[in-house]
Amino acid sequence: GIVVVHDVGRDPDSGTLFIALEYLQGQTLDKATGGRPMDWREAFRLTVRLADALHHAHAHGIVHRDIKPANIMILPTGDPKIMDFGIARVETSTLTNAGEFFGTPAYMSPEQASGEKVDGRSDIFSLGSVLYLLVTGKRAFEAPNVTGVLIRVARDDPQPPSSIVPSLPPEVDAVVMKALAKNREQRYADGRSF
């Protein structure tokens, strides 16, 4: 569920660092959905695969920090792969300086939005935001500008998905809202439990 890294190094002539990645065919999740809600069962199937991939990364001490639809490739088989670990860091490293954040505001966790230290549960929050989009067709934390999005991420709970798509079963609300808990202690502890 994670793009394969074939090689890393430095070009001897230019000194440029490089990462040689697996070439993936398919569409990114944002293009595959076209802004429409998908069947919740398919959304959950994809999320299970992605949560398992995140569990693997977290077990190796890596936090992605930018889980979003554009960083998820849907292969022709229908399987998802997480891409773009460009801002990922080892959990024990310093991830931000005061006042800095990395990631995409609409999908980042409250602790990431406020520049606090992140861990695997931050990726769980981001995956919960992706799942919200998949089942509703809407972003969980929509606002007219980046500042508004960050405020909503930090302070506001989104509407339960079933308030947007009434045909969703209550269990969908329970799973999504637990992943989107503001307090990381109240989220799923890891990708496997998600």
Side-chain angles (χ1 to χ4, degrees):
I2 298 173
V3 65
V4 175
V5 177
H6 292 295
D7 196 12
V8 296
R10 184 181 299 271
D11 180 74
D13 297 329
S14 68
T16 303
L17 297 172
F18 70 85
I19 302 174
L21 302 169
E22 164 187 24
Y23 177 77
L24 297 175
Q25 293 187 17
Q27 284 188 311
T28 57
L29 188 56
D30 58 337
K31 291 190 175 128
T33 61
R36 296 176 308 277
M38 66 172 48
D39 178 76
W40 68 268
R41 292 165 197 84
E42 176 61 11
F44 272 51
R45 183 191 72 77
L46 291 172
T47 302
V48 165
R49 299 291 303 274
L50 295 165
D52 192 45
L54 285 174
H55 187 82
H56 178 78
H58 298 159
H60 289 84
I62 304 295
V63 180
H64 188 283
R65 301 194 308 155
D66 198 21
I67 296 296
K68 62 184 178 182
N71 285 341
I72 298 167
M73 181 70 78
I74 304 300
L75 306 177
T77 62
D79 294 319
K81 278 209 175 189
I82 299 172
M83 307 181 299
D84 196 0
F85 279 75
I87 63 171
R89 295 285 186 270
V90 175
E91 278 192 68
T92 58
S93 68
T94 301
L95 299 177
T96 57
N97 294 320
E100 287 185 335
F101 64 86
F102 295 97
T104 303
Y107 298 96
M108 67 175 44
S109 67
E111 59 273 14
Q112 194 173 358
S114 63
E116 297 172 26
K117 185 176 178 184
V118 300
D119 61 24
R121 294 168 295 181
S122 296
D123 285 345
I124 297 299
F125 185 96
S126 298
L127 184 56
S129 294
V130 170
L131 178 57
Y132 189 99
L133 176 73
L134 295 179
V135 298
T136 67
K138 299 185 181 301
R139 289 183 179 172
F141 304 102
E142 196 65 60
N145 55 48
V146 171
T147 302
V149 170
L150 293 172
I151 290 169
R152 292 213 54 223
V153 165
R155 298 182 187 163
D156 299 340
D157 289 324
Q159 296 177 290
S162 65
S163 70
I164 298 167
V165 180
S167 61
L168 292 173
E171 293 81 7
V172 170
D173 286 347
V175 169
V176 172
M177 299 309 280
K178 181 173 175 90
L180 292 176
K182 298 294 182 201
N183 181 339
R184 70 177 104 193
E185 300 295 329
Q186 295 173 347
R187 288 180 213 142
Y188 295 99
D190 55 40
R192 183 114 340 120
S193 60
F194 187 11

